């Protein structure tokens, strides 16, 4: 809690306590005791006593003469009247010399609390009850004891409350304030209670009128006491001046006068702060530059020591060096030292200390040389901050994060219960925000994401921005690994809340890789590598999720890296082959067309499944080149068959088209070029796309597919039903056929049951006027059920597996449903060459 907040909290507490005391006193006030005598006594207290105050020397505080009358009210009328009169008198007297109204109310509350404390103590000692002091029951020593209790309690509570208040404002201990500022004021309280007791006794024996006769005497006693204090303060000041002059006269000599004047001039006008300091740390002489640096006047510095304005964190180191210098172990010392400026802020200095006299002397003085380097220090800190923090988000950057991670790893290796974990965060689809709303909105999104990530962490964790849309979090200490998983879950929940960016409501998600340090992680780079691997595993698993790293991921990553290199080489060398699977008309059993399937036989790993190398080709930007090779080869090979068919009707060729390819505006022109190059009819070509094209590139996909359809190329939806289906997309796109995914066909059992999914797709297609082709037909039961559902086409191992071009030619000849003229040697060679 800051000092200002502590002070405000304390003042509020005292004001509340004072208000409670006043309310309680008012509610329990014995109104039957209220009389003209009390009115006269209160008028004297407020009208005369409050105006007769004594100023405390050296401090902006006053003591009112009215204490005697307040104590007298306590003795005569009880605690409730005394509490209310004390609060009102403090308010009136404070109003005269204090400009801050909060202080006026604070003083009134202090008097109410202290007087209430007196009453409580008397009640505890059974000297007070039923609103009256038991005066009749205590005589002699007991009466003096009661008076002492009143004075001591009033003194202790009042001065303690004031000391704490002054300590909070001055940032020093309340004990130091009390013993230097208030301890001597006990005399006033005892004089006041003494005067009150005398007046009480006289009023009891002579009558209340004695107050009018004795009041002038009391007033002159207080007046004499105030004059005495002024004389004491004047005498102290004169004594201090005399002592200062004596030291100066002792140090001077006629022979050194001229050199001393030169020294004084150089000392006073030096551009750096210079001071003569005693062995105990008291400032003996300071120059103007030092006063300017520290913000204190010369007199203020000379009245304190250097320890009191040194930052506590630096004081121990400074005292060690000074003691070594005084002991003669070192000749001088120089260091960076922080001091507290009079205004409260910290000053960085270059601090040099040397002895002004031989260290063997009883109390050698010291020479301080102090140079203000605050601006330089702050500039260095700012440069350091900028070098280690991201300019956009204010988060630590990669360099800072890697340094902290490097420092944390040895702890995990040396302490078995010390864990180190990294969360690698990559935003999903952040590029679309930049492309659609602009980079300024993208920057605002990154800032907001940085703030949300801070909210998800523990206080000791570190979140950093590596660059772009990548963030990392470092978690270290003694914790369970499940706590890191909970952090990732909190992040995902935070990201489910939309971001409001200059009127745009934007949703974002993140793929998070989690890595817990193990014995295999010897460096920060090792950890970042594996955390990045886990993050990419989360992306491949569908994004907007988190994955925890294991060794299998590392092996898979190495394999993918190897496959990436080999795939680039295979595409470059045109080693990707094409196989064909016939597509049948289920009604007639005739071969209607073929689907071209890309195949890659790795020299070491053997056949690589398309589900593995096709997404890899998309990720590394090879899909366009791979598609062109497959399309060019399939058009040449199937085109060579179509030219030899007796029926004159060509086989249709189905080729898979990746959603990534719609990002290229030149797709249509490249397809035209290949068709012209291979002389393949576009009316025999079909492109198979997936439903995700509606979400990846909705506007461009519609435009490109319409252009392809105008060329005569048919568009089929492949793997229908396995993704997020958009019926509006089906209507908008120029598609001809829905291909039922094999996963739905596999559901049909041996009796032809469990066909609900296939039935729904077929009904939907028929209602939309589309053809239906089923994939993965492997049993007669499946075939019969599909026929009964009026599914037009199908393919699967029940008919024929994927086969090479040569095998396809022979299959069509052996099947006898299609007659192919014997090819010439040139035709066969041209059809089997990889282009």
């Amino acid at each position: 809690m800051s000092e200002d907040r502590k002070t405000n909290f304390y003042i509020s507490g005292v004001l509340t306590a004072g208000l409670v005391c006043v309310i309680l006193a008012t509610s329990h006030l014995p109104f039957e005791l209220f009389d003209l005598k009390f009115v006269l006594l209160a008028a004297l207290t407020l009208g005369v006593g409050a105006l007769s105050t004594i100023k405390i020397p050296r401090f902006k505080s006053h003591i009112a003469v009215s204490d005697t009358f307040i104590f007298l009210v306590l003795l005569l009328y009880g605690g409730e009247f005394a509490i209310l009169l004390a609060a009102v008198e403090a308010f009136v007297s404070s109003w005269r010399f204090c400009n801050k109204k909060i202080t006026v109310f604070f003083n009134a509350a202090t008097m109410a609390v202290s007087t209430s404390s007196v009453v409580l103590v008397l009640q505890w000692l059974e000297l007070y009850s039923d609103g009256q002091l038991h005066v009749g029951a205590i005589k002699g020593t007991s009466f003096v004891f009661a008076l002492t209790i009143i004075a001591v309690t009033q003194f202790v509570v009042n001065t303690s409350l004031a000391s704490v208040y002054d300590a909070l404002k001055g940032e020093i201990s309340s004990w130091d304030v009390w013993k230097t500022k208030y301890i001597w004021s006990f005399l006033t309280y005892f004089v006041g209670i003494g005067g009150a007791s005398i007046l009480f006794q006289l009023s009891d024996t002579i009558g209340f009128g004695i107050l009018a006769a004795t009041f002038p005497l009391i007033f002159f006693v207080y007046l004499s006491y105030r004059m005495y204090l002024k004389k004491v303060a004047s005498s102290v000041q004169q004594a201090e001046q005399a002592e200062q002059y004596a030291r100066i006269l002792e140090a001077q000599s006629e022979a050194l006068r001229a050199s001393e004047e030169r020294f004084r001039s150089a000392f006073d006008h030096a551009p750096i702060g210079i001071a003569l300091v005693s062995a105990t740390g008291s400032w003996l002489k300071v120059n103007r530059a030092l006063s300017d640096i520290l913000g204190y006047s010369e007199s203020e510095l000379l009245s304190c020591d250097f320890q009191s304005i040194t930052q506590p964190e630096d004081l121990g180191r400074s005292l060690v060096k000074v003691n070594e210098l005084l002991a003669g172990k070192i000749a001088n010392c120089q260091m960076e030292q922080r001091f507290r400026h009079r205004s409260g802020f910290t000053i960085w200095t270059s601090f040099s200390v040397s002895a002004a006299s031989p260290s063997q002397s009883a109390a050698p003085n010291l020479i301080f040389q102090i140079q203000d380097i605050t601006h330089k220090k702050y500039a260095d800190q700012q440069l350091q901050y900028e070098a280690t923090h991201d300019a956009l988000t204010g988060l630590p950057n990669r360099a800072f994060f890697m340094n902290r991670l490097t420092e944390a790893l040895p702890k995990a290796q040396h302490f078995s219960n010390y864990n180190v974990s990294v969360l690698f965060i990559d935003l999903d689809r952040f590029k679309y925000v930049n492309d659609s709303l602009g980079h300024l909105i993208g920057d605002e999104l990154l800032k907001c994401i940085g703030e949300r990530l801070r909210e998800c962490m523990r206080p000791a964790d570190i979140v950093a921005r590596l660059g772009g849309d990548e963030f990392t979090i470092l978690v270290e200490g003694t914790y369970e690994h499940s706590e890191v998983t909970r952090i990732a879950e909190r992040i995902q929940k935070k990201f489910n809340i939309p971001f409001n960016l200059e009127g745009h409501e934007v949703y974002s998600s993140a793929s998070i890789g989690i890595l817990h340090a193990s014995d295999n992680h010897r460096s920060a780079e090792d950890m970042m590598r594996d955390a990045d691997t886990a993050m990419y595993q989360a992306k491949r698993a569908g994004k907007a999720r988190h994955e925890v790293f294991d060794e299998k991921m590392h092996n898979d990553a190495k394999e993918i890296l190897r496959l990436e290199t080999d795939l680039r080489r295979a595409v470059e060398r045109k080693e990707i082959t094409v196989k064909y699977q016939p597509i049948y008309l289920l009604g007639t059993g005739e071969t209607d067309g073929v689907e071209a399937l890309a195949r890659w036989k790795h020299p070491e790993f053997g056949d690589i499944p398309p589900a593995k190398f096709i997404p890899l080709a998309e990720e590394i930007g090879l899909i366009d080149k791979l598609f062109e090779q497959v399309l060019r080869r399939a058009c040449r090979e199937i085109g060579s068959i179509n030219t030899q068919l007796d029926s004159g009707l060509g086989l249709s060729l189905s080729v898979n088209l990746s959603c990534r390819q719609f990002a290229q505006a030149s797709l249509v022109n490249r397809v035209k070029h290949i068709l012209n190059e291979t002389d393949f009819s576009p009316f025999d070509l079909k492109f198979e796309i997936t439903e995700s094209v509606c979400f990846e590139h909705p506007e461009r996909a519609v435009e490109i597919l319409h252009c392809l359809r105008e060329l005569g190329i048919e568009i089929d939806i492949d793997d229908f039903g396995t993704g997020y289906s958009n019926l509006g997309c089906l209507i908008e796109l120029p598609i001809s056929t829905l291909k039922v995914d094999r996963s739905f066909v596999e559901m049909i059992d041996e009796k032809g049951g469990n066909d609900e999914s296939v039935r729904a797709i077929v009904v939907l297609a028929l209602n939309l006027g589309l053809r239906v082709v089923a994939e993965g037909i492997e049993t007669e039961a499946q075939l019969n059920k599909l026929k009964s559902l009026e599914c037009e086409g199908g393919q699967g191992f029940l008919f024929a597996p994927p086969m090479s071009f040569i095998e396809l030619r022979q299959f069509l000849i052996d099947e006898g449903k299609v007659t192919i003229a014997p090819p010439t040697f040139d035709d066969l060679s041209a059809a089997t060459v990889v282009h």
Side-chain angles (χ1 to χ4, degrees):
M1 184 183 294
S2 66
E3 295 300 325
D4 288 341
R5 291 185 64 186
K6 288 181 180 178
T7 302
N8 293 335
F9 181 80
Y10 177 75
I11 292 174
S12 300
V14 174
L15 290 175
T16 303
L19 180 60
V20 171
C21 292
V22 171
I23 293 173
L24 291 176
T26 303
S27 63
H28 293 83
L29 189 69
F31 289 94
E32 66 273 13
L33 298 179
F34 186 88
D35 55 14
L36 183 60
K37 295 177 182 181
F38 173 78
V39 174
L40 176 60
L41 190 55
L44 289 173
T45 303
L46 301 177
V48 180
L51 299 177
S52 303
T53 58
I54 301 174
K55 185 179 184 300
I56 302 176
R58 297 185 181 181
F59 300 102
K60 295 180 179 179
S61 299
H62 297 73
I63 296 178
V65 180
S66 55
D67 290 346
T68 298
F69 302 105
I70 295 174
F71 289 138
L72 183 58
V73 169
L74 175 63
L75 296 175
L76 291 173
Y77 291 89
E80 288 77 9
F81 284 96
I83 292 170
L84 295 177
L85 183 59
V88 175
E89 185 279 332
F91 182 90
V92 173
S93 60
S94 298
W95 190 275
R96 293 178 52 245
F97 60 83
C98 184
N99 294 325
K100 293 183 178 180
K101 302 307 180 240
I102 188 66
T103 305
V104 174
F105 286 103
F106 177 84
N107 290 339
T110 301
M111 283 301 297
V113 172
S114 61
T115 308
S116 299
S117 301
V118 171
V119 175
L120 291 175
V121 172
L122 290 174
Q123 289 176 343
W124 179 65
L125 295 175
E126 298 181 354
L127 299 176
Y128 180 94
S129 64
D130 299 328
Q132 291 293 321
L133 185 69
H134 298 169
V135 179
I138 52 174
K139 300 292 183 179
T141 304
S142 298
F143 183 68
V144 173
F145 173 73
L147 296 178
T148 304
I149 291 299
I150 293 172
V152 170
T153 304
Q154 184 82 352
F155 162 70
V156 170
V157 176
N158 203 350
T159 57
S160 297
L161 293 174
S163 299
V164 173
Y165 176 71
D166 291 344
L168 289 173
K169 292 197 301 181
E171 298 184 357
I172 57 178
S173 68
S174 56
W175 170 250
D176 290 338
V177 174
W178 186 81
K179 68 182 182 180
T180 58
K181 186 173 179 179
Y182 293 106
I183 190 171
W184 63 272
S185 64
F186 76 95
L187 180 61
T188 302
Y189 294 88
F190 279 94
V191 171
I193 193 62
S197 66
I198 293 173
L199 292 175
F200 174 78
Q201 297 289 347
L202 291 175
S203 66
D204 189 39
T205 57
I206 299 176
F208 190 83
I210 192 64
L211 291 177
T214 58
F215 177 77
L217 178 61
I218 296 172
F219 177 78
F220 284 115
V221 168
Y222 272 91
L223 187 61
S224 300
Y225 176 66
R226 185 164 68 176
M227 294 179 63
Y228 166 75
L229 289 180
K230 288 184 177 180
K231 290 181 179 180
V232 169
S234 178
S235 298
V236 171
Q237 184 178 7
Q238 291 176 359
E240 290 177 349
Q241 291 178 348
E243 183 180 354
Q244 181 179 5
Y245 290 145
R247 287 199 301 268
I248 294 175
L249 290 174
E250 290 176 4
Q252 290 179 341
S253 67
E254 291 296 333
L256 298 177
R257 183 179 299 276
S259 61
E260 183 180 331
E261 290 296 331
R262 290 194 296 270
F263 169 77
R264 182 180 294 109
S265 177
F267 181 88
D268 290 338
H269 297 92
I272 64 173
I274 303 176
L276 183 66
V277 182
S278 69
T280 61
S282 298
W283 302 98
L284 302 179
K285 187 173 180 57
V286 298
N287 69 347
R288 298 175 184 174
L290 185 61
S291 295
D292 293 339
I293 291 173
L294 301 179
Y296 294 89
S297 66
E298 180 180 354
S299 60
E300 288 173 329
L301 285 174
L302 296 178
S303 64
C304 65
D305 52 32
F306 89 91
Q307 294 96 322
S308 63
I309 61 174
T310 302
Q311 283 287 7
E313 297 85 353
D314 295 351
L315 183 57
R317 178 170 54 93
S318 301
L319 291 177
V320 169
K321 291 295 183 181
V322 169
N323 289 333
E324 290 179 353
L325 192 148
L326 293 174
K329 295 181 180 180
I330 57 176
N332 56 68
C333 62
Q334 186 170 355
M335 68 194 82
E336 288 186 351
Q337 175 78 48
R338 289 177 294 174
F339 290 98
R340 287 197 304 268
H341 192 273
R342 190 176 188 278
S343 300
F345 58 85
T346 300
I347 303 170
W348 282 90
T349 66
S350 176
F351 181 57
S352 178
V353 186
S354 58
S357 55
S359 59
Q360 293 78 12
S361 59
N365 292 328
L366 304 171
I367 294 179
F368 284 9
Q369 298 182 57
I370 298 175
Q371 187 173 3
D372 188 356
I373 60 169
T374 304
H375 293 299
K376 177 180 179 298
K377 195 71 179 179
Y378 286 163
D380 292 343
Q381 291 176 351
Q382 183 63 27
L383 289 174
Q384 178 67 19
Y385 179 87
E386 292 175 355
T388 57
H389 287 73
D390 175 54
L392 176 63
T393 62
L395 297 176
N397 60 13
R398 177 185 290 272
F400 182 93
F401 185 85
M402 296 297 285
N403 184 57
R404 288 297 300 270
L405 182 56
T406 300
E407 293 174 354
L409 269 178
K411 300 177 186 177
Q413 295 166 357
H414 287 87
F415 303 103
S416 59
N417 61 339
Y418 198 92
N419 297 320
V420 176
S421 302
V422 171
L423 292 89
F424 197 112
I425 304 164
D426 187 89
L427 304 184
D428 301 326
R429 300 168 58 85
F430 175 73
K431 180 178 181 297
Y432 295 103
V433 176
N434 276 341
D435 292 346
S436 59
L437 300 179
H439 288 276
L440 292 179
I441 299 297
D443 289 346
E444 289 300 316
L445 176 59
L446 292 175
K447 292 178 186 178
C448 295
I449 286 173
E451 294 173 359
R452 289 196 184 178
L453 290 178
R454 286 193 189 100
E455 297 171 0
C456 299
M457 303 185 315
R458 307 177 310 167
D461 301 337
I462 296 174
V463 58
R465 181 189 177 206
L466 298 188
D469 59 348
E470 292 182 338
F471 297 82
T472 52
I473 295 177
L474 173 61
V475 182
E476 59 175 311
T478 54
Y479 57 86
E480 298 293 334
H481 287 170
S482 58
E483 175 63 22
V484 182
T485 303
R486 285 194 290 270
I487 293 175
E489 292 171 350
R490 288 198 296 269
I491 292 172
Q492 298 292 6
K493 288 182 180 178
K494 281 285 185 182
F495 278 29
N496 287 334
I497 304 172
F499 296 86
N500 193 340
L501 307 174
E502 298 185 9
H504 300 281
E505 190 175 68
V506 177
Y507 284 87
S508 184
S509 63
S511 300
I512 305 174
I514 300 175
L515 172 69
H516 304 298
S518 67
D519 294 338
N520 296 329
H521 299 105
R522 296 294 177 181
S523 66
E525 288 73 15
D526 292 342
M527 293 197 66
M528 295 299 289
R529 176 200 64 207
D530 290 345
D532 185 58
T533 299
M535 183 273 293
Y536 273 106
Q537 180 64 28
K539 279 194 176 297
R540 283 190 289 269
K543 303 179 181 179
R545 65 183 64 215
H546 62 271
E547 294 287 344
V548 180
F549 176 84
D550 56 32
E551 285 303 319
K552 182 178 181 301
M553 287 186 189
H554 181 58
N555 296 332
D556 290 344
K558 290 194 296 184
E559 180 183 341
I560 289 174
L561 181 61
R562 168 75 183 277
L563 289 178
E564 177 184 334
T565 302
D566 293 345
L567 180 60
R568 291 182 185 276
R569 185 178 296 111
V571 172
E572 187 65 31
R573 296 176 179 177
K574 301 180 181 178
E575 295 175 351
I576 303 298
T577 61
V578 179
K579 287 195 174 183
Y580 304 94
Q581 186 172 35
I583 300 174
Y584 284 80
L585 294 174
L586 301 185
T588 63
E590 296 179 353
T591 302
D592 181 52
V594 294
E595 180 181 1
L597 304 171
R599 293 293 185 264
W600 178 28
K601 188 170 186 178
H602 192 276
E604 180 178 344
F605 303 128
D607 291 330
I608 306 298
K612 196 169 189 177
F613 75 83
I614 294 297
L616 180 59
E618 291 177 335
E619 185 175 338
I620 64 178
L622 281 178
I623 190 63
D624 293 327
K625 199 169 185 179
L626 178 61
F627 165 77
E628 291 179 15
Q629 288 188 10
V630 170
L631 179 62
R632 181 178 287 106
R633 177 167 183 168
C635 288
R636 286 188 184 278
E637 292 180 343
I638 301 303
S640 67
I641 292 178
N642 286 343
T643 58
Q644 303 176 48
L645 291 176
D646 291 342
S647 62
L649 297 176
L651 290 173
S652 64
L653 172 63
S654 298
V655 180
N656 289 286
L657 189 60
S658 169
C659 292
R660 295 288 182 92
Q661 295 178 254
F662 288 93
Q664 302 296 329
S666 59
L667 174 62
V668 176
N669 290 331
R670 294 204 308 274
V671 171
K672 284 182 181 179
H673 176 74
I674 293 174
L675 292 176
N676 293 332
E677 178 185 340
T678 59
D679 196 22
F680 191 85
S681 171
F683 297 97
D684 292 332
L685 181 60
K686 298 181 180 181
F687 282 151
E688 296 186 2
I689 62 174
T690 61
E691 299 162 275
S692 58
V693 72
C694 299
F695 309 102
E696 294 287 342
H697 306 280
E699 297 181 358
R700 179 173 291 179
V702 171
E703 179 183 352
I704 291 177
L705 291 175
H706 275 288
C707 292
L708 294 174
R709 192 68 187 91
E710 290 175 359
L711 295 177
I713 302 172
E714 291 190 12
I715 307 299
D716 298 349
I717 296 294
D718 193 17
D719 301 331
F720 183 75
T722 59
Y724 183 83
S725 300
N726 186 332
L727 298 182
C729 179
L730 295 181
I731 298 173
E732 186 176 4
L733 294 179
I735 58 178
S736 304
T737 303
L738 292 184
K739 298 192 72 174
V740 182
D741 187 70
R742 66 178 60 250
S743 60
F744 298 119
V745 176
E746 289 173 352
M747 295 180 183
I748 301 176
D749 55 29
E750 292 297 328
K751 297 181 180 181
N754 200 21
D755 62 339
E756 292 80 3
S757 298
V758 176
R759 183 186 301 273
I761 295 174
V762 172
V763 171
L764 173 65
L766 294 177
N767 289 335
L768 294 176
L770 303 177
R771 297 178 65 244
V772 183
V773 174
E775 298 178 309
I777 302 174
E778 297 183 358
T779 67
E780 290 291 341
Q782 293 171 350
L783 175 61
N784 293 333
K785 174 56 66 175
L786 291 169
K787 286 182 178 180
S788 67
L789 294 176
E790 299 183 8
C791 180
E792 296 182 38
Q795 62 187 99
F797 280 83
L798 180 63
F799 302 116
M803 58 191 73
S804 67
F805 171 64
I806 300 299
E807 293 170 337
L808 175 64
R809 286 178 59 91
Q810 189 60 46
F811 174 82
L812 294 174
I813 295 173
D814 294 343
E815 193 178 48
K817 296 180 181 179
V818 177
T819 303
I820 303 177
T824 64
F825 179 77
D826 292 338
D827 292 335
L828 187 59
S829 300
T832 56
V833 173
V834 178
H835 293 279

